[in-house]
Amino acid sequence: MSSNSNAPQKTILSFLILFVLMIISTIPSCSSSSTSTSTSTVTEDHHKKFSRKLSLKELWFKREKLSHLHFYFHDIVGGKNPTAIQIAGPPVTNASSTFFGLVTAIDDPLTVGPEPNSKQLGRAQGLYASASQSEVGLMMVLNYVFTEGKYNGSTLSILGRNAAFSAVREMPIVGGSGLFRFARGYAQARTHKFDLKTGDAVVEYNVYVLHY
Ligand SMILES: *[C@@H]1O[C@H](CO)[C@@H](O)[C@H](O)[C@H]1NC(C)=O
Ligand SMILES: *[C@@H]1O[C@H](CO)[C@@H](O)[C@H](O)[C@H]1NC(C)=O
């Protein structure tokens, strides 16, 4: 009689034990014995394996944060030392009013303040192309290459549309390197100064970027 009433309890207990064991085996740190024995095969296989799953923590990416960067971009087209030069498209004098087809390579200084001699934070390196036939609409493809402080050596990649004569233009940040690995966000541009004679422009940038 007593053994009969114990039987369902024993089955429940053994199910519980089995359940707990299954849970434990799914926790990586608890199944260390199995991983430590397979470590050598993992490292040996590493060079032959096309893909594997990692957690962000394994690569030391802890918490995603939002940073705000503020700087001025100097697009110097005229003078003896231009930082923006035309590399393709019709001659400027022959171009349409929207400069459609013009491609410019840039290595523009990024500075703390709007003055040309303001402290340099980095460069904007890449291209912009006039991609609109109805207004001045640039396609920007460039990297911000930072050279100061903790961001020295880190980059942000921008790919977006810049309607240069609009008050505020927004361009996506599509990635980054160094401290900006896994970056995404947006950059807002406002023209600070534009010289109609030379074509030189100083543009204020506010960049909002998520990164680790
Ligand atoms: C520039 O315009 C002039 C005058 O309209 C024309 O003769 C010339 O062929 C054009 N040049 C180019 C490269 O389109
Ligand atoms: C930035 O990094 C480069 C390369 O490591 C170094 O030569 C340079 O001095 C650094 N600049 C600043 C301002 O720390």
Side-chain angles (χ1 to χ4, degrees):
M1 186 68 186
S2 63
S3 65
N4 253 1
S5 64
N6 270 348
Q9 285 177 2
K10 276 182 183 164
T11 354
I12 289 170
L13 192 69
S14 54
F15 265 115
L16 268 176
I17 291 172
L18 197 68
F19 183 69
V20 167
L21 282 175
M22 277 166 62
I23 294 281
I24 286 175
S25 67
T26 60
I27 302 172
S29 60
C30 293
S31 56
S32 56
S33 59
S34 64
T35 44
S36 64
T37 52
S38 59
T39 301
S40 58
T41 49
V42 166
T43 42
E44 276 166 22
D45 288 351
H46 189 249
H47 295 291
K48 291 179 200 160
K49 216 165 167 188
F50 171 59
S51 81
R52 64 193 174 120
K53 287 202 166 59
L54 283 174
S55 70
L56 281 164
K57 280 190 185 119
E58 281 173 84
L59 279 183
W60 299 100
F61 294 109
K62 281 177 197 142
R63 238 193 15 219
E64 198 172 38
K65 49 187 174 268
L66 178 61
S67 295
H68 172 213
L69 312 174
H70 177 257
F71 50 80
Y72 291 84
F73 165 107
H74 301 257
D75 198 46
I76 306 156
V77 179
K80 274 186 193 158
N81 299 306
T83 60
I85 59 165
Q86 188 193 338
I87 56 167
V92 180
T93 46
N94 272 41
S96 69
S97 61
T98 71
F99 302 105
F100 181 63
L102 220 92
V103 182
T104 304
I106 63 166
D107 182 7
D108 285 349
L110 305 174
T111 61
V112 176
E115 311 79 24
N117 56 356
S118 173
K119 186 183 173 178
Q120 200 179 120
L121 299 169
R123 314 285 294 191
Q125 298 177 338
L127 305 170
Y128 57 76
S130 290
S132 171
Q133 289 184 296
S134 56
E135 62 177 320
V136 177
L138 307 175
M139 184 189 66
M140 314 286 284
V141 191
L142 58 93
N143 297 308
Y144 297 140
V145 183
F146 297 101
T147 52
E148 264 303 315
K150 66 171 175 173
Y151 296 122
N152 187 9
S154 296
T155 67
L156 282 174
S157 299
I158 287 86
L159 175 66
R161 179 169 190 268
N162 181 0
F165 290 107
S166 298
V168 185
R169 292 88 73 187
E170 187 171 308
M171 288 156 262
I173 307 286
V174 295
S177 71
L179 284 184
F180 292 121
R181 286 171 179 168
F182 288 123
R184 62 208 159 89
Y186 61 96
Q188 283 183 330
R190 289 173 177 83
T191 303
H192 176 78
K193 203 170 120 185
F194 180 64
D195 187 329
L196 272 171
K197 259 191 225 157
T198 58
D200 293 355
V202 179
V203 182
E204 182 184 13
Y205 271 88
N206 279 286
V207 176
Y208 301 88
V209 62
L210 283 169
H211 62 105
Y212 287 90

